Amino acid sequence: MNQAIVPLNFTPDVQTTTIEAWGVLEEVREDVIKRTLAVGYTPIETSRRVLEMYHNVDLSQVAPDPTTGEVQFSEPTSPATRYYRTIFLGIDGAEGEEIYFGRILPRATVSEVAAQDWGTDKALSYPMTLKAKVDSTLGYSSRLFFGGPGWKALAGKHGFA
């Protein structure tokens, strides 16, 4: 799916717990107990998929009016959790030296939607936050990747033998 978006905001959250011991003035250990990832982004394309995600509704059975082309739908009164597979892609570098990078969230849910501004000086946008969830089949919630001719030339220099 091709969507026009403004910059992405990947926000990891790490929660820890500390272990104290009698007679020791500071914690003897700190354990990571939870790590989550949220992705904030703002699509500016009014496509079916964006509308489904922003309004938490299934629009697969909604068809345009044959005469006017108008589309209508109601927001759910009893919303369900919906999961999406998402791929975020980026590119950096000059032609022939491109570094491609991305992140796959195989099971993500919309955890927040933000207010829309219907002002005349702005594009209609759909600000939302996705939360990565572990896909039980794949065994991960987020996978990063880097490639391209620029990355291949630099991989060894960056510690990847």
Side-chain angles (χ1 to χ4, degrees):
M1 172 175 56
N2 185 14
Q3 293 183 26
I5 58 174
V6 295
L8 301 167
N9 182 322
F10 294 96
T11 307
D13 180 37
V14 178
Q15 294 180 15
T16 61
T17 186
T18 56
I19 307 299
E20 297 183 8
W22 185 75
V24 179
L25 296 177
E26 61 183 36
E27 298 88 6
V28 294
R29 190 173 82 215
E30 187 172 9
D31 296 335
V32 174
I33 58 170
K34 185 177 182 181
R35 181 179 170 97
T36 59
L37 176 70
V39 182
Y41 76 116
T42 304
I44 57 173
E45 177 180 86
T46 304
S47 66
R48 186 184 112 200
R49 176 62 69 184
V50 170
L51 291 171
E52 286 178 328
M53 293 175 76
Y54 188 82
H55 295 284
N56 193 30
V57 64
D58 178 6
L59 299 177
S60 61
Q61 303 303 312
V62 175
D65 180 276
T67 305
T68 66
E70 180 181 305
V71 172
Q72 295 183 33
F73 61 92
S74 299
E75 291 187 326
T77 57
S78 179
T81 302
R82 300 179 188 283
Y83 295 97
Y84 304 93
R85 291 188 187 275
T86 60
I87 301 175
F88 300 99
L89 302 172
I91 185 171
D92 190 19
E95 186 175 339
E97 300 173 354
E98 297 92 343
I99 297 173
Y100 301 104
F101 52 95
R103 187 183 293 257
I104 298 170
L105 307 181
R107 189 169 190 254
T109 185
V110 177
S111 61
E112 294 179 42
V113 293
Q116 287 184 309
D117 184 350
W118 287 19
T120 58
D121 60 336
K122 295 182 177 134
L124 179 59
S125 62
Y126 302 89
M128 65 181 94
T129 301
L130 299 177
K131 191 166 188 179
K133 302 289 188 178
V134 175
D135 181 293
S136 60
T137 302
L138 298 175
Y140 63 87
S141 62
S142 172
R143 174 161 287 184
L144 293 137
F145 56 91
F146 302 85
W151 179 258
K152 184 177 180 184
L154 295 171
K157 180 180 175 182
H158 291 298
F160 295 94

